[in-house]
Amino acid sequence: MSEKFQAVVIGGGPGGYVCAIRLAQLGLKTACIESRGSLGGTCLNVGCIPSKSLLNLSEEFHKVKNLSNKGIEVGEVKLNLPKMMKSKEKAVTILTKGVEFLLKKNKVTYYRGTGSFKSKKEILIKDKNNKETIIQTEKVIIATGSVPVSLPNIEIDEKLIVSSTGALNLEKVPKKMVVVGGGYIGLEMGSVWSRLGSEVHVVEFLDHITPGMDKEISKEFMKILNKQGINFHLQHKVENVTKSNSGVIVSTSNKEGNKINFECEVVLISVGRKPNTDGLNLEKIGIELDNKKRIKTNESFKTNLDDIYAIGDVIAGPMLAHKAEDEGMAVAENIAGQSGHVNYNTIPGVIYTTPEVASIGKTEEQLKEKNIKYKIGKFSFMANSRAKAIDEAEGFVKILADEKTDKVLGAHLIGPHAGELIAEIGIAMEFGASSEDIARTCHAHPTFSEAVKEAALSVDKRAIHS
Ligand code: FAD
Ligand code: NAD
């Protein structure tokens, strides 16, 4: 007799494991199936966590090397890359084991193996030794995430031609690295290897980096990264990547149609990710996909079939861990008869470079496009005492508020701890706050958050420190 569950979650990433825990908290007998051998998905294993670990470690290395500028003399600073990688792996192991503990604590049954639909209510699990188990369920939640995409005819070998996964595991610092795509992964991983000593060239198809981000922030971001030593080649289309005796040749053509080749030791292909539905047997049960091969869902995360749901990177929306988590919570609550909900207007996006970049709500371009009249408040970290005191004063805070009602519509930050500061604006937006509400809230001195308050004051042209 196969075991019977009330809910089965396929995929143990931030969407899947959070959903499984919430379902169990709400009293459903729940199983979670994960194929990679450890929980936490892309995020904990080959995404958010290892990249943030390397961003931090490479920034520390870079800072220590430059401490003498601040009157702190240190001896010779040397990089021990294998040890740095071990430190990163330690962080990953602690966190993935932590998720396993959480599933156990919440009495979620964890199956190690690949799940696929045998029928709408039966899931077949194949483990690494090809042993098969069939379980039965009332509800299924698909949370199988996403995988990197490559370009036509370019095969990723994770050694010379790498995706983010290979870029997180290089055995030595490449003398020269070409990054294809100036998005989240390209700029974070490009920053890591640049700080560790690589000559980094970002080749971007568009005329700006970080598409979708507020243009003013995007321009400032590129200027700052450029000053740090990262080279940008905008409006360059990558046509081919070939291996040579000394490394790799990246062939591009620029907007004038000139052919430009870049020779490098390693090329990182970071041109986006695609939903992962391979092997689930979706065709057999008739689940509909959209034109980008994402699973189609309604606002309750239900697919075209009753009792089958999908969340996270495998459905539409930004491919972010916290978006997947919130959808996991919401779908679990819906299944349990509650009113789960995700507010897509207040999902923050953060790029963990130095300085950090953070964004929430509408950009100026989106407001113009929708013909919404707005006011802008801006404040530079150059005038923020904490940022000045520690010599991290690059960047600014920009708040967009409705021209009539003063309601905060969006905020875009580049500067120290921007990824933490954005949470304040998220809460303000969830509460329907005006920029005046933020401006009238007492912020501790000296903190970076005072720049948020000053930007809010500046919406009505009454900033004090500028
Ligand atoms: P995933 O995390 O992809 O998890 C899906 C899981 O399902 C995987 O573990 C997979 O093995 C498993 N699976 C797939 N098919 C099956 C099957 N048939 N049976 C069983 N298991 C299966 N986002 C952020 O918010 N912040 C960041 O800082 C950030 N940094 C990133 C850095 C990098 C380098 C990358 C690549 C991504 C980063 N992301 C970040 C994006 C984030 O990792 C994803 O948005 C998030 O992991 C999506 O969660 P998910 O649960 O939908 O899918
Ligand atoms: P991305 O969508 O962020 O950026 C891809 C970039 O590649 C774009 O700028 C695009 O214009 C460019 N591009 C596309 N085709 C090209 C070509 N042929 N030649 C040159 N440039 C080309 O994708 P990504 O950086 O691969 O990251 C994937 C996703 O992972 C992100 O969208 C994000 O959701 C997630 N992620 C998030 C974080 C974070 O939250 N800090 C970090 C890493 C990844």
Side-chain angles (χ1 to χ4, degrees):
M1 264 296 282
S2 59
E3 192 158 3
K4 189 157 185 205
F5 293 90
Q6 285 171 291
V8 168
V9 183
I10 309 180
Y17 84 75
V18 167
C19 178
I21 290 174
R22 188 75 189 113
L23 284 162
Q25 281 177 348
L26 290 164
L28 280 87
K29 185 180 176 198
T30 306
C32 181
I33 310 168
E34 171 54 59
S35 58
R36 80 169 66 229
S38 79
L39 289 160
T42 302
C43 176
L44 264 59
N45 291 279
V46 290
C48 325
I49 297 307
S51 62
K52 264 77 264 179
S53 171
L54 286 185
L55 276 156
N56 177 58
L57 293 164
S58 60
E59 179 60 11
E60 298 223 41
F61 174 67
H62 177 77
K63 269 191 178 158
V64 174
K65 273 203 340 190
N66 293 291
L67 275 179
S68 63
N69 299 336
K70 298 183 176 178
I72 304 171
E73 301 294 344
V74 286
E76 192 191 354
V77 183
K78 281 202 297 197
L79 174 67
N80 183 336
L81 190 59
K83 214 167 176 178
M84 190 178 269
M85 290 296 178
K86 273 211 178 105
S87 172
K88 172 207 69 176
E89 279 145 29
K90 191 174 147 201
V92 169
T93 308
I94 288 173
L95 288 169
T96 54
K97 288 277 171 224
V99 173
E100 206 172 318
F101 164 79
L102 289 175
L103 288 195
K104 212 180 201 168
K105 184 180 154 199
N106 286 281
K107 302 194 171 45
V108 173
T109 307
Y110 168 28
Y111 286 97
R112 292 164 200 262
T114 303
S116 63
F117 284 92
K118 189 169 157 53
S119 70
K120 287 178 198 166
K121 305 262 174 187
E122 284 173 307
I123 306 294
L124 170 73
I125 305 161
K126 224 185 219 183
D127 75 7
K128 62 177 192 278
N129 303 316
N130 281 329
K131 187 178 154 244
E132 295 187 350
T133 307
I134 294 169
I135 54 176
Q136 293 182 45
T137 183
E138 288 165 27
K139 312 270 182 193
V140 183
I141 300 92
I142 306 169
T144 46
S146 64
V147 289
V149 291
S150 188
L151 293 168
N153 306 319
I154 299 176
E155 209 177 302
I156 289 173
D157 63 13
E158 299 297 12
K159 293 277 175 223
L160 301 178
I161 306 173
V162 298
S163 71
S164 50
T165 305
L168 288 164
N169 280 308
L170 297 181
E171 283 169 9
K172 67 182 184 71
V173 180
K175 278 200 182 67
K176 188 168 167 183
M177 180 180 211
V178 169
V179 170
V180 183
Y184 278 75
I185 291 177
L187 301 176
E188 287 189 349
M189 294 316 298
S191 287
V192 165
W193 292 107
S194 166
R195 289 169 195 161
L196 296 180
S198 194
E199 179 188 322
V200 172
H201 291 259
V202 176
V203 177
E204 167 59 53
F205 178 67
L206 300 172
D207 65 356
H208 59 279
I209 59 168
T210 54
M213 185 181 283
D214 191 275
K215 281 267 176 67
E216 206 180 350
I217 295 275
S218 164
K219 265 192 198 154
E220 179 73 8
F221 187 29
M222 188 169 123
K223 215 166 79 192
I224 292 173
L225 291 179
N226 197 225
K227 229 169 73 189
Q228 291 175 6
I230 297 183
N231 306 282
F232 288 93
H233 309 275
L234 301 180
Q235 291 181 292
H236 279 59
K237 187 167 181 273
V238 173
E239 290 178 335
N240 207 355
V241 175
T242 46
K243 290 183 189 167
S244 70
N245 289 340
S246 52
V248 196
I249 300 170
V250 181
S251 312
T252 72
S253 64
N254 68 7
K255 72 172 170 162
E256 286 84 27
N258 300 323
K259 306 276 177 211
I260 296 157
N261 286 352
F262 296 87
E263 279 193 62
C264 58
E265 269 182 43
V266 171
V267 56
L268 163 63
I269 309 286
S270 45
V271 294
R273 295 175 61 82
K274 62 175 181 191
N276 180 19
T277 53
D278 284 355
L280 280 170
N281 223 0
L282 296 184
E283 321 72 48
K284 182 169 175 188
I285 55 166
I287 288 202
E288 281 176 17
L289 305 182
D290 68 13
N291 57 355
K292 291 185 176 162
K293 302 252 170 27
R294 301 173 296 201
I295 296 178
K296 254 196 204 167
T297 53
N298 67 11
E299 63 291 343
S300 307
F301 311 101
K302 194 176 83 58
T303 65
N304 59 308
L305 300 181
D306 284 344
D307 300 325
I308 303 183
Y309 304 79
I311 54 165
D313 280 10
V314 80
I315 69 169
M319 288 184 167
L320 295 171
H322 40 283
K323 176 254 190 193
E325 287 185 36
D326 282 12
E327 288 178 343
M329 303 263 278
V331 76
E333 288 168 5
N334 287 337
I335 288 172
Q338 299 185 353
S339 309
H341 168 72
V342 176
N343 179 357
Y344 289 95
N345 195 38
T346 52
I347 294 178
V350 179
I351 305 184
Y352 297 83
T353 44
T354 304
E356 290 181 353
V357 181
S359 162
I360 192 163
K362 299 276 181 286
T363 63
E364 218 183 317
E365 292 72 32
Q366 286 170 330
L367 293 176
K368 278 188 187 138
E369 199 185 299
K370 287 186 188 299
N371 231 349
I372 298 171
K373 298 270 180 285
Y374 59 92
K375 303 178 280 185
I376 304 180
K378 247 195 276 179
F379 191 78
S380 165
F381 280 102
M382 286 297 266
N384 172 268
S385 53
R386 178 73 178 275
K388 275 311 247 188
I390 64 162
D391 194 19
E392 285 186 22
E394 278 180 314
F396 58 90
V397 178
K398 173 174 176 179
I399 294 181
L400 301 167
D402 187 275
E403 190 181 85
K404 264 207 185 118
T405 64
D406 192 37
K407 187 174 176 181
V408 178
L409 302 174
H412 309 279
L413 284 72
I414 178 164
H417 303 281
E420 303 294 334
L421 296 178
I422 201 78
E424 162 179 8
I425 301 173
I427 291 181
M429 287 176 72
E430 281 291 348
F431 284 16
S434 62
S435 77
E436 186 174 355
D437 290 324
I438 299 177
R440 288 193 183 276
T441 303
C442 187
H443 288 66
H445 174 78
T447 60
F448 304 113
S449 71
E450 286 175 293
V452 175
K453 174 181 172 146
E454 290 271 7
L457 281 166
S458 147
V459 170
D460 279 327
K461 307 201 171 16
R462 55 198 169 103
I464 300 296
H465 294 93
S466 69

